[in-house]
Amino acid sequence: MQTIRRAARATGSGLAASAAVGSAAAHSGTTHAGTPHWLLFVLVLLGGAVTAGAVAAYRRRVVGGATSAIVALSAAVVGAFGLVGLVELQVVAETPPTLTDVYPTLSLVVGVAMAVGSLVVGRLRWPQRPRYAGLGLLLAAWVVYPVAMPNGGVYNPLGHVLVVGVVLAVGYVLWRDARAVVQSLRHDRRPLGAGLLAGPLFSVFFLFSAGTLTLNPDSGVGAPTESLVVFLPVSDPLVAWPAVEFVFPSVPMAGYFSVGTVLLLALLGSLVSLNVGVMVQQWRAGTADSSGTSALGMAATTGATACCCCAPAFYGVLSVVFGAAATPAYWAFLDPSSPVGGVFFAASVVLLLGSVVRAVGGGRAQSLQ
């Protein structure tokens, strides 16, 4: 639980320093409940390969839709099981961070580049849709916020406004440019069911990979031995939100939920649900080849973006392949002054949102409204 609280509550460069103290004692090693990490990694690769194979077989009409769906879902569950295992027990860095001095500057450079790029691309390609540039500016501000505000801006109300603003901006773009596909999904049971299933499954994976929920709570000196539920502010995402933190050693389970976490899950889970729903709808209609985004492309985008949303999951894979050599990546993901987490989040939102808009032709420059 100390790992969860440390990742959620500490701010700025102080997070990296406090996390260095005793972090190796929690979640260290290369096994998960006696399971070698390499085996979990194999499950991830196997699940992804079989899922891709099932999709390809269906598109070539080698197998039927029901069979391919069952195989793909089963393989995805196997892959998700391995991935959750990887992110639950990683090779935690035993040495303090060494690159934190460059993180603030790098965040500012990346944020400014994102803002300028959003304005330029928005002006050149979508001059009559300033909402795209506006969303890009908000995502750029997300990257810069922790280093631009005093003390990380943890208790600054502007942070709350920024988080809510990103959620509302995404909703506005969906309403203006993808309203038709959302309405069509409401009346199409199978795509709707697939989307409603995919969203919660993604949210559960996100909770584990982001450290919000764990089935491997810390044990040892100072760790709770009885069930514990406390209410306290948690800075996740960006700023402090009212939250509930819990530990149930007998389950075992530990984690926390904040108002900000719920907003983030609602945003990303909804985007994943829409992507999967549109993908299934295109498969059934047989229009994937003629649409702006093929079903296979949407599936790849959704899967890749799901990993982008959960940057620690990427580190879990790196820790298996490179072991302790992945330490710089560990601190890059953990330190909020680093731009890595913000960039991964921004890329996830853009790719997921863009795939839905493109699926209905809303992202084409020539079809301006």
Side-chain angles (χ1 to χ4, degrees), residues 7-364:
R9 299 177 63 191
T11 61
S13 60
L15 177 139
S18 64
V21 180
S23 63
H27 304 309
S28 60
T30 56
T31 62
H32 181 75
T35 304
H37 261 191
W38 66 264
L39 179 57
L40 295 172
F41 189 48
V42 169
L43 290 179
V44 174
L45 295 179
L46 181 63
V50 174
T51 300
V55 173
Y58 171 76
R59 288 176 59 80
R60 295 182 179 182
R61 303 185 185 279
V62 177
V63 297
T67 301
S68 63
I70 293 174
V71 173
L73 180 60
S74 301
V77 170
V78 171
F81 173 81
L83 196 54
V84 168
L86 287 178
V87 301
E88 272 284 80
L89 194 61
Q90 303 170 0
V91 180
V92 179
E94 299 184 9
T95 57
T98 57
L99 301 175
T100 54
D101 291 341
V102 303
Y103 286 163
T105 301
L106 187 59
S107 293
L108 290 173
V109 171
V110 171
V112 170
M114 290 173 60
V116 173
S118 298
L119 292 173
V120 172
V121 174
R123 175 61 180 170
L124 295 179
R125 188 168 185 181
W126 298 288
Q128 297 183 30
R129 294 186 179 184
R131 51 189 174 274
Y132 293 169
L135 177 59
L137 291 175
L138 288 174
L139 293 175
W142 189 294
V143 175
V144 173
Y145 181 86
V147 299
M149 303 298 293
N151 300 318
V154 177
Y155 295 100
N156 195 309
L158 287 178
H160 298 90
V161 173
L162 176 57
V163 173
V164 175
V166 169
V167 175
L168 293 179
V170 171
Y172 180 68
V173 171
L174 287 174
W175 176 254
R176 289 295 303 273
D177 302 324
R179 190 188 323 174
V181 72
V182 175
Q183 291 176 341
S184 68
L185 288 176
R186 293 174 55 190
H187 304 288
D188 205 342
R189 288 187 177 182
R190 290 187 180 179
L192 178 62
L196 293 179
L197 177 63
L201 288 177
F202 167 82
S203 298
V204 171
F205 168 69
F206 179 89
L207 290 173
F208 279 106
S209 64
T212 306
L213 189 65
T214 178
L215 299 179
N216 185 47
D218 295 341
S219 59
V221 179
T225 56
E226 298 180 354
S227 299
L228 177 66
V229 178
V230 295
F231 295 89
L232 74 170
V234 172
S235 56
D236 180 33
L238 292 185
V239 290
W241 302 85
V244 56
E245 187 174 350
F246 54 88
V247 183
F248 302 116
S250 59
V251 174
M253 177 183 289
Y256 68 90
F257 288 96
S258 70
V259 174
T261 302
V262 174
L263 287 174
L264 206 59
L265 286 176
L267 172 63
L268 298 176
S270 297
L271 289 175
V272 170
S273 293
L274 286 174
N275 271 269
V276 173
V278 171
M279 178 185 67
V280 175
Q281 194 174 56
Q282 287 187 337
W283 276 1
R284 293 187 62 202
T287 59
D289 292 336
S290 61
S291 67
T293 302
S294 69
L296 184 61
M298 290 180 63
T301 298
T302 301
T305 306
C307 293
C308 287
C309 297
C310 313
F314 183 63
Y315 169 72
V317 175
L318 289 180
S319 68
V320 172
V321 179
F322 299 104
T327 294
Y330 175 83
W331 293 120
F333 287 137
L334 191 63
D335 193 335
S337 67
S338 166
V340 173
V343 169
F344 270 47
F345 170 73
S348 303
V349 171
V350 170
L351 290 175
L352 282 170
L353 180 60
S355 65
V356 175
V357 173
R358 284 175 56 85
V360 294
R364 297 173 184 171

